[in-house]
Amino acid sequence: MQSALAQAMPSMARHEGVWEGIYRHVDLDGVLLDTHRVTVRCELPDDGPYPYIQHNHFVWEDGREHRATLPGILRDGRLWWDVETFHGYSWETLDGILMLNLTRKDEAGANFFEMITLGSTGEHRSRTWQWFRDGKLYKRTLCDERLVSRS
C-alpha cells in the first residue's frame, strides 16, 4: 500500500533511502565558507505519527560530527517540520522538483529556500539552498549526493 505521503508527494517517495555526499557553503562571491561530508537517511514509515523522517549525520575533516533527526508531518498536501533548529514546509512542483521554505530558529532573522532535484536514474541528487538574513541574500549551500541504498 502506498503511504499518504507518497500519494500526496510522489517525488518525495523517490528520495527514500540512504544518501552520501558533500555540503559546501559559499558566500555571495563563491568563496568557500565550510565543507563537510553527510550521510542522509530518508524514511517513509508505514505507521506512526510521522510519514517522513530524515536522519542526518555530518562529519568535518577536523573530526567534528553532528547528528539530527527531522520528523515531518503531512498537512494540506505539504510536508511540515517544526524541530529544534528550524520550522517550515516542503512541496513539489509539477516536474517533481522538491522545494522547501524553512525558517531558522537558531539564527535570528535567517531563512532559506531549498531546491532538491534527482537525476534521471534516481541515484544522484542535487540540493541548493539560498540563505537570507533579514530579507537579504548572504550565502548558498550546494549539496551533491548519491544514493547508497534503498533503505
Side-chain angles (χ1 to χ4, degrees):
M1 182 173 95
Q2 193 176 34
S3 73
L5 178 61
Q7 289 176 10
M9 298 177 70
S11 292
M12 178 64 84
R14 294 186 61 214
H15 293 260
E16 187 172 27
V18 178
W19 299 83
E20 291 182 350
I22 296 178
Y23 280 30
R24 293 175 186 89
H25 301 276
V26 298
D27 69 13
L28 296 184
D29 294 321
V31 174
L32 188 65
L33 301 171
D34 182 43
T35 185
H36 51 275
R37 301 203 63 72
V38 65
T39 300
V40 176
R41 181 167 53 96
C42 303
E43 61 175 303
L44 281 68
D46 291 328
D47 53 20
Y50 302 107
Y52 179 85
I53 304 172
Q54 181 170 309
H55 307 271
N56 296 344
H57 180 203
F58 304 104
V59 179
W60 285 261
E61 283 190 24
D62 64 8
R64 286 178 296 140
E65 294 186 40
H66 176 73
R67 293 177 188 268
T69 298
L70 310 168
I73 62 169
L74 186 62
R75 187 174 70 232
D76 302 325
R78 294 180 176 190
L79 189 58
W80 293 81
W81 290 273
D82 192 353
V83 297
E84 182 179 344
T85 55
F86 67 85
H87 66 87
Y89 58 92
S90 174
W91 71 99
E92 62 183 57
T93 70
L94 294 175
D95 295 319
I97 296 170
L98 299 178
M99 303 295 297
L100 290 81
N101 181 354
L102 302 173
T103 299
R104 297 298 299 205
K105 294 179 177 180
D106 57 347
E107 293 185 41
N111 69 293
F112 66 90
F113 299 93
E114 179 177 355
M115 179 179 75
I116 308 173
T117 54
L118 278 178
S120 60
T121 65
E123 296 176 1
H124 297 271
R125 72 180 182 179
S126 169
R127 301 166 63 181
T128 307
W129 307 359
Q130 308 290 333
W131 289 82
F132 290 82
R133 180 174 286 119
D134 300 323
K136 182 179 177 185
L137 181 67
Y138 72 99
K139 71 177 177 178
R140 293 183 173 92
T141 301
L142 309 171
C143 313
D144 304 312
E145 298 170 321
R146 66 179 177 78
L147 183 68
V148 295
S149 75
R150 282 274 175 218
S151 292

